[in-house]
Amino acid sequence: MWPRPRPWLAALLYLWVHLACCNEHKTDANRPAEEHIPRELRAWTWANAPLPDLVTEDVSEVVETDFSGEVEEEHNTSCGPDCEKALPTPSLSDFNDYLSYETLFENGTSVFTRVSWSEVPEAEKEIRREVAEMVVKTKRRKRQIFGVDTRFNILGEQFLTNFPFSAVVKLSTGCTGVLISDKHVLTAAHCIHNGKRYVKGRKSMKIGFIVSQPYNETMRVHRDSEWRWIKAKKTQIPAAWKKIRNREKAVMYDYAVVELKESTDRPFMDIGVSSAVNTAPGRRIHFTGFDNDQEDRLLYRYCSVLENTADVLYQHCDAQPGTSGAGIYIRNWDNSTEKWERKIIGVFSGHQWVNQDGAPRDYNVGTRITPLKFAQICFWTKGDYNLCREGY
């Protein structure tokens, strides 16, 4: 059990979290009129572009027998932000190799699927051109908690069982995930496969949802959360995660989708693609997860992007192991609906040491969703690529 915050502190926390992360989900009647939204903020709009043609072919099927891998949340590379920005845009052949994928079913059978895109979309190239022009200087920090711990403990059913926190789930392998449909969860690839083998517990993996957190009025404490667990039907990971897991570009493809055996009635979060400007250094990102150092508590945090590349978001949001797989989101103005919208634009990967300016530097990092990654995730989720063709 956890002690309940003092009344004045609880009220302050309620007001802060409501304003910081949930305000855009008011009913239309309670939304601020557009004229009250600062003009400079209305300029932050969602990118949108059509997607190329896709052809898929199942080429091999095997029965997996090795589920002994450990979940690894620490990444080390000599290629930091500046190095990544200097990398050439992958060729169409590279993208076809990286975004081919492996599907693992609950019976242990896995199928490898080769993909063939018709072209590299212009939006994919544009993001890489934009980030290559950005030059940012950052200060060196240490550890996964950077200075004062700024994570917010989400307590009480009024938060835990309502959107957006109700869309956050826990994997039995020890990671976090986020609902992106009524039966699909987006998470980190390393929570499923460590690059060499599937992780322990993957074959019997379940996805947990908090359904309640009773409050004891007599003892004035929140009781332990009550959970509902649903078994995973299948998981899908990009081929790049296994192909380049031990090379410098591994975190660029650290994402996976889990399909549940049962649908849920919970609201889910949309995924999107942000332009380089919308995730430029200084832009605020948010994510919520189950940090291991806080048992089964749900912790929300936000911070500014420190560095960004075409495939990775570098930041100092406070996080601990267990948060991997959390959906990183931002808020942008949607001109078509004339509303603020929250969309997942990345997946939290973990802690990473890089070589930058000739010295070791550490960040917490997230895999960024690009146009082709969006297309792949959309296809995995909908099963019919025609439903994804109009873009994001």
Side-chain angles (χ1 to χ4, degrees):
M1 295 183 182
W2 307 309
R4 190 182 193 185
R6 296 179 184 274
W8 64 269
L9 184 57
L12 182 61
L13 177 61
Y14 178 91
L15 177 62
W16 184 89
V17 173
H18 188 65
L19 292 174
C21 68
C22 310
N23 199 40
E24 68 271 34
H25 285 273
K26 292 179 179 179
T27 62
D28 288 344
N30 293 325
R31 290 182 188 275
E34 184 177 352
E35 59 267 22
H36 296 305
I37 299 174
R39 184 178 300 276
E40 62 272 16
L41 291 182
R42 271 184 269 152
W44 297 105
T45 56
W46 288 108
N48 186 42
L51 298 172
D53 294 334
L54 171 65
V55 176
T56 63
E57 177 189 6
D58 294 342
V59 294
S60 64
E61 180 177 322
V62 300
V63 176
E64 299 288 345
T65 58
D66 191 349
F67 294 86
S68 61
E70 299 288 344
V71 175
E72 300 173 1
E73 302 192 63
E74 185 83 11
H75 311 292
N76 296 290
T77 174
S78 61
C79 188
D82 294 338
C83 168
E84 283 185 31
K85 292 175 185 178
L87 294 174
T89 297
S91 66
L92 180 59
S93 176
D94 290 335
F95 277 123
N96 288 339
D97 286 342
Y98 294 161
L99 297 179
S100 293
Y101 59 91
E102 185 168 291
T103 303
L104 178 69
F105 298 92
E106 59 180 325
N107 65 1
T109 301
S110 68
V111 175
F112 180 78
T113 302
R114 181 177 293 124
V115 305
S116 178
W117 302 100
S118 60
E119 62 180 341
V120 179
E122 185 60 30
E124 188 87 31
K125 301 175 184 177
E126 180 62 24
I127 289 176
R128 297 169 194 278
R129 284 195 294 265
E130 289 178 343
V131 297
E133 298 171 357
M134 295 179 179
V135 179
V136 182
K137 296 296 182 181
T138 59
K139 297 180 179 179
R140 183 178 177 183
R141 305 291 185 93
K142 296 180 179 179
R143 301 183 180 277
Q144 294 153 285
I145 300 298
F146 299 92
V148 177
D149 191 345
T150 57
R151 297 173 296 172
F152 293 85
N153 186 7
I154 305 302
L155 292 173
E157 291 188 28
Q158 72 271 32
F159 288 125
L160 292 172
T161 59
N162 284 287
F163 192 86
F165 301 119
S166 61
V168 182
V169 302
K170 184 172 184 177
L171 279 62
S172 59
T173 54
C175 291
T176 297
V178 60
L179 275 174
I180 56 172
S181 85
D182 61 352
K183 61 186 300 183
H184 291 90
V185 169
L186 180 66
T187 188
H190 77 256
C191 298
I192 308 296
H193 193 288
N194 70 4
K196 298 178 181 178
R197 57 186 64 88
Y198 282 96
V199 302
K200 296 176 182 177
R202 163 54 196 93
K203 195 170 183 179
S204 58
M205 186 173 71
K206 296 180 179 180
I207 308 300
F209 304 78
I210 293 179
V211 295
S212 68
Q213 189 183 64
Y215 179 70
N216 188 315
E217 292 288 351
T218 302
M219 300 181 65
R220 299 181 66 81
V221 294
H222 288 281
R223 296 184 181 278
D224 292 342
S225 299
E226 297 177 359
W227 294 76
R228 176 193 178 196
W229 293 88
I230 300 178
K231 192 170 182 180
K233 180 179 180 180
K234 67 180 181 182
T235 56
Q236 293 172 298
I237 58 175
W241 176 249
K242 296 177 66 174
K243 282 178 176 289
I244 59 177
R245 176 63 184 90
N246 296 316
R247 294 165 56 198
E248 296 174 339
K249 297 182 285 186
V251 73
M252 298 179 183
Y253 297 91
D254 191 7
Y255 62 93
V257 168
V258 182
E259 182 177 337
L260 307 176
K261 288 196 71 173
E262 304 173 33
S263 298
T264 71
D265 57 359
R266 295 191 171 214
F268 51 84
M269 295 193 73
D270 292 328
I271 59 174
V273 176
S274 66
S275 68
V277 173
N278 281 11
T279 48
R283 185 77 159 107
R284 180 180 293 180
I285 57 174
H286 314 247
F287 59 96
T288 306
F290 294 97
D291 302 56
N292 289 348
D293 67 330
Q294 299 292 322
E295 299 178 347
D296 286 336
R297 303 189 197 188
L298 189 62
L299 299 175
Y300 161 77
R301 79 244 40 217
Y302 72 90
C303 67
S304 296
V305 175
L306 295 179
E307 297 265 12
N308 73 335
T309 68
D311 292 288
V312 182
L313 298 171
Y314 293 85
Q315 33 78 19
H316 281 163
C317 280
D318 290 325
Q320 289 285 357
T323 317
S324 291
I328 298 173
Y329 65 87
I330 60 174
R331 294 177 59 213
N332 274 339
W333 180 255
D334 190 319
N335 284 325
S336 62
T337 62
E338 296 188 345
K339 297 177 182 178
W340 286 104
E341 287 194 347
R342 177 198 292 108
K343 290 185 181 180
I344 301 294
I345 51 90
V347 179
F348 182 67
S349 182
H351 185 242
Q352 182 175 34
W353 282 97
V354 303
N355 187 350
Q356 190 170 9
D357 298 329
R361 182 168 294 168
D362 65 330
Y363 296 93
N364 281 336
V365 296
T367 300
R368 180 177 180 170
I369 296 174
T370 63
L372 285 180
K373 292 174 190 173
F374 171 91
Q376 182 179 62
I377 294 169
C378 180
F379 176 52
W380 287 347
T381 303
K382 298 185 182 298
D384 181 354
Y385 188 65
N386 288 324
L387 299 176
C388 306
R389 289 295 308 278
E390 293 185 1
Y392 40 86

